Amino acid sequence: MSNGTSIEDIRMNASVSYRRGHGAAGREVTEKLTQNRILTNNDIDALTVLEFAAQDILQKYHAAMRQMEARLETLDQDLKLRRSRNPIHHIESRMKSVPSIFEKLERYGKDATLEAMEEYIMDIAGLRVIVSYIQDAYTILDYLEHQDDLEVVTVKDYIANPKPNGYRSLHFIVRIPVFFLDGKKAIPVEIQIRTIAMDYWASLEHDLKYKSVYEIEGVDVGDELKACSQIISGVEKRMQIMANALEGQKGHPGSSVVQKAKRMDLAQTLEAPASVAVTLAEDETELG
Ligand code: 0O2
């Protein structure tokens, strides 16, 4: 920029110009992008404006997503101490792309504006939490609902009520407060919690859908996927029964050991480390 215009100036101008009515141009570009049509120079200009204008907002969603992920990790570690196993297997995160945000707005019949994006699109930031057992999904939701600065806005329970194609997962939107230079904002993050088995099914279903395979050698893929989902659901219920029985037997050793350690006299502990080690070891054996 020969006249000394900074990236921040461009971003600010882009944002103002977009808010003043480049929405229609943005929608046109979005349509072209989603339909793989050729973009003109004007389209590319409009797209640049769109991307710049959206960046400030997307950065806030990205911050909210990272903070929500940290909360989940803390919860996982805390539950591990109490239950001697991590309920969370792993967490995936993703930011929705600008074209797919505007495509969704169009599907909802809303204007392609930044205001509409913030008002109607709740899954700009998304976390997918993969857990071991079905009960882990509800436990995590329950703990999040009890964190008093979070607001669980909507819950879609596709585990209790699977989609017609067999899709199972627990979806909810959480608003998390994030502090920025211009103040605090409660930003929505979509959380999908599913078991390893549900994730396996969803990944393959997504793949098959993407490949548009409807019928292979006389087998209806839709029916087959639904049947697989039901089998997986049955297997998961049996695994859950075993997990419950095992956890009942163990009686949450972690919390018991921590409670015992808290009751110890520190001076005595420092003088007689060996006996403390024996006491803790006995406790583990007792419960293990
Ligand atoms: P991405 O990139 O995966 O996030 P909508 O129906 O879109 O207006 P909503 O609330 O977004 O409303 O839909 P919903 O039912 O809560 O599901 C949204 C997300 O769940 C999808 O995201 C998928 O990730 C996942 N999902 C929902 N149904 C299925 C399914 O049948 N199969 C698989 N594999 N995944 C599913 P997006 O928006 O598709 O994109």
Side-chain angles (χ1 to χ4, degrees):
M1 300 300 124
S2 52
N3 62 359
T5 310
S6 70
I7 289 286
E8 277 315 307
D9 291 336
I10 297 174
R11 186 172 286 175
M12 183 63 77
N13 289 340
S15 181
V16 170
S17 127
Y18 187 78
R19 284 173 197 271
R20 278 190 187 146
H22 279 70
R27 187 164 47 229
E28 209 174 291
V29 178
T30 309
E31 269 171 27
K32 286 186 181 174
L33 279 174
T34 52
Q35 292 161 17
N36 285 331
R37 279 157 50 201
I38 293 166
L39 300 180
T40 64
N41 282 342
N42 280 348
D43 292 335
I44 291 166
D45 285 349
L47 189 64
T48 309
V49 169
L50 187 74
E51 291 277 2
F52 263 126
Q55 281 320 308
D56 282 347
I57 298 177
L58 293 186
Q59 186 273 116
K60 296 190 170 176
Y61 282 82
H62 191 257
M65 186 175 77
R66 287 205 324 265
Q67 293 194 16
M68 200 60 230
E69 189 168 0
R71 292 255 184 148
L72 287 159
E73 282 164 1
T74 306
L75 201 53
D76 185 48
Q77 286 309 314
D78 224 6
L79 283 165
K80 190 196 172 186
L81 281 176
R82 286 160 197 262
R83 301 182 179 188
S84 72
R85 72 170 181 86
N86 289 92
I88 297 181
H89 186 267
H90 70 276
I91 301 177
E92 295 164 12
S93 60
R94 73 102 186 84
M95 289 290 294
K96 216 173 181 66
S97 68
V98 173
S100 96
I101 290 171
F102 285 89
E103 181 269 324
K104 195 161 189 174
L105 275 176
E106 202 185 343
R107 189 150 51 84
Y108 286 174
K110 303 293 175 194
D111 286 342
T113 65
L114 296 181
E115 283 80 5
M117 161 173 144
E118 287 186 278
E119 189 173 348
Y120 300 108
I121 308 300
M122 295 291 121
D123 64 344
I124 293 174
L127 290 173
R128 185 169 291 156
V129 184
I130 313 301
V131 294
S132 304
Y133 298 99
I134 297 175
Q135 193 53 47
D136 294 333
Y138 294 106
T139 302
I140 290 169
L141 172 59
D142 193 42
Y143 277 109
L144 293 180
E145 277 177 328
H146 283 90
Q147 296 194 2
D148 60 11
D149 61 339
L150 295 183
E151 187 196 354
V152 176
V153 190
T154 50
V155 179
K156 290 186 192 170
D157 188 350
Y158 298 126
I159 297 178
N161 305 298
K163 285 196 170 184
N165 62 354
Y167 177 76
R168 296 163 66 235
S169 196
L170 181 64
H171 291 193
F172 50 93
I173 309 293
V174 180
R175 280 191 184 273
I176 181 167
V178 187
F179 288 85
F180 301 103
L181 292 177
D182 51 352
K184 184 174 78 168
K185 212 168 168 209
I187 310 228
V189 176
E190 186 200 56
I191 303 185
Q192 300 181 352
I193 311 189
R194 53 171 82 147
T195 62
I196 300 165
M198 290 174 200
D199 192 50
Y200 160 76
W201 183 94
S203 306
L204 298 192
E205 188 266 355
H206 185 268
D207 196 35
L208 288 168
K209 197 164 59 181
Y210 176 72
K211 287 179 185 156
S212 304
V213 183
Y214 296 109
E215 199 173 303
I216 312 167
E217 294 176 7
V219 177
D220 184 307
V221 174
D223 287 349
E224 198 59 14
L225 278 166
K226 200 169 173 173
C228 288
S229 169
Q230 283 161 355
I231 293 168
I232 287 172
S233 169
V235 171
E236 281 188 317
K237 281 177 189 147
R238 292 169 68 174
M239 301 292 267
Q240 181 74 65
I241 291 168
M242 284 193 284
N244 289 350
L246 201 66
E247 277 188 16
Q249 242 180 32
K250 279 189 179 171
H252 300 187
S255 64
S256 159
V257 172
V258 170
Q259 291 310 320
K260 194 158 193 168
K262 276 185 185 164
R263 286 197 302 271
M264 282 174 191
D265 181 315
L266 187 61
Q268 199 188 336
T269 308
L270 291 172
E271 275 168 25
S275 73
V276 173
V278 169
T279 321
L280 284 173
E282 276 169 1
D283 197 45
E284 296 270 22
T285 327
E286 226 173 77
L287 300 158

